[in-house]
Amino acid sequence: MKLIISKSDLLKGVQIVSKAVSSKTTMSILECILIDASKGNIRLVANDMELGIETIVKGDIADNGVIAINAKIFAEIIRKLPDSDITLESDDNFQMTIRCEKSVFQIAGKSSDEFPSLPEIMKKDALVISQFTLKELINQTVFSISENESNKIMTGELFEIKNNVLRVVALDGHRIAIRKVGLKNEFEDKKVIVPGKALKEISKILSGETEKEVFIYFTDRHILFEFDETLVLSRLIDGEYYKIDQMI
């Protein structure tokens, strides 16, 4: 594999996907970022089995290939390189050479065979809202989720669609935050619990521009957010959310 990417584009991509790199795991492959240049574009992927993020980075592909590389080490190297084009080159033994102007680094990578791929999601019946609206919805409610893992339901937010209105609810046992927004397009009624961790990371990635849109897809077990050449896939929290209407 041989790729040529500007430092700014590569660093931005690494920072986006690093939010889904596992920090506490016995599986070293989950501490890695997958660099995939096998399908005509350069994809960076991270997956901690609960949250997965994929983003496309602009660059030139001189030679196709796929490699998994330790996210922390890779990010630290890229961050310290000069603001210039970076060449990434790997051999058959998964040794990666990073070149930028007079700087040269060599780090050991891993085979992509061990890396857990993101589940395939059928993209149909998308819920479409602006990045500004989604960022605002999250920021105005996420502070009310519980940090206590013993009550899993409270660590997530209720996303409920009813009568073409999206209601987002968070509570931690002491306070409740509720935000509603009307939907432009018809959408079937739905109720899911989205992990607070995923929403916090999405809020950091979103540009928050009103003219840019986010496409949201639901399955029985996952929720997928698609925007700006980036996919954020999160596992949903199982269970029945609290009866908010009776509480208020």
Side-chain angles (χ1 to χ4, degrees), residues 28-44:
S28 60
I29 194 67
L30 297 184
E31 297 175 339
C32 294
I33 290 173
L34 186 74
I35 304 174
D36 185 349
S38 63
K39 298 176 182 176
N41 54 23
I42 303 171
R43 294 188 308 124
L44 304 183

Side-chain angles (χ1 to χ4, degrees), residues 12-220:
K12 181 182 178 182
V14 169
Q15 288 173 334
I16 288 173
V17 298
S18 289
K19 300 179 189 308
V21 173
S22 180
S23 57
K24 298 177 182 178
T25 179
T26 55
M27 298 172 61
S28 60
I29 194 67
L30 297 184
E31 297 175 339
C32 294
I33 290 173
L34 186 74
I35 304 174
D36 185 349
S38 63
K39 298 176 182 176
N41 54 23
I42 303 171
R43 294 188 308 124
L44 304 183
V45 187
N47 183 8
D48 69 1
M49 308 304 284
E50 294 290 332
L51 176 67
I53 301 178
E54 173 188 311
T55 193
I56 294 175
V57 175
K58 295 177 183 176
D60 296 325
I61 304 173
D63 194 8
N64 292 347
V66 187
I67 190 172
I69 209 82
N70 183 278
K72 185 177 180 181
I73 296 172
F74 188 61
E76 286 178 355
I77 291 173
I78 300 304
R79 198 175 291 116
K80 293 175 181 177
L81 290 174
D83 292 326
S84 186
D85 285 347
I86 297 172
T87 301
L88 306 177
E89 197 167 359
S90 63
D91 59 23
D92 294 338
N93 296 318
F94 304 107
Q95 290 291 320
M96 174 174 276
T97 302
I98 304 170
R99 293 187 176 90
C100 184
E101 295 185 357
K102 296 180 181 180
S103 302
V104 180
F105 293 87
Q106 286 190 325
I107 52 177
K110 296 177 183 290
S111 168
S112 62
D113 295 341
E114 303 173 43
F115 194 87
S117 58
L118 299 183
E120 288 288 333
I121 300 296
M122 182 90 57
K123 295 180 182 178
K124 65 175 185 176
D125 301 327
L127 169 64
V128 184
I129 60 176
S130 72
Q131 289 199 29
F132 174 81
T133 301
L134 181 58
K135 193 179 183 80
E136 195 177 51
L137 280 172
I138 295 171
N139 291 343
Q140 292 180 352
T141 56
V142 78
F143 63 88
S144 285
I145 65 168
S146 174
E147 301 294 333
N148 189 349
E149 290 286 335
S150 63
N151 190 330
K152 198 73 175 174
I153 298 292
M154 285 189 179
T155 64
E157 290 197 3
L158 175 69
F159 271 49
E160 180 182 28
I161 302 168
K162 191 173 182 180
N163 299 327
N164 236 37
V165 173
L166 170 63
R167 180 171 72 162
V168 178
V169 182
L171 72 138
D172 61 4
H174 301 284
R175 55 192 173 181
I176 300 176
I178 301 174
R179 178 70 203 278
K180 296 179 181 179
V181 60
L183 302 177
K184 296 178 182 177
N185 301 321
E186 291 287 328
F187 201 88
E188 65 178 25
D189 290 358
K190 191 168 290 288
K191 187 185 291 188
V192 298
I193 306 172
V194 186
K197 175 190 173 184
L199 295 173
K200 288 177 181 177
E201 300 305 348
I202 289 167
S203 176
K204 294 174 187 174
I205 302 170
L206 288 168
S207 66
E209 296 177 45
T210 53
E211 64 273 14
K212 289 190 175 182
E213 295 180 325
V214 182
F215 296 82
I216 305 174
Y217 303 91
F218 300 91
T219 72
D220 293 338

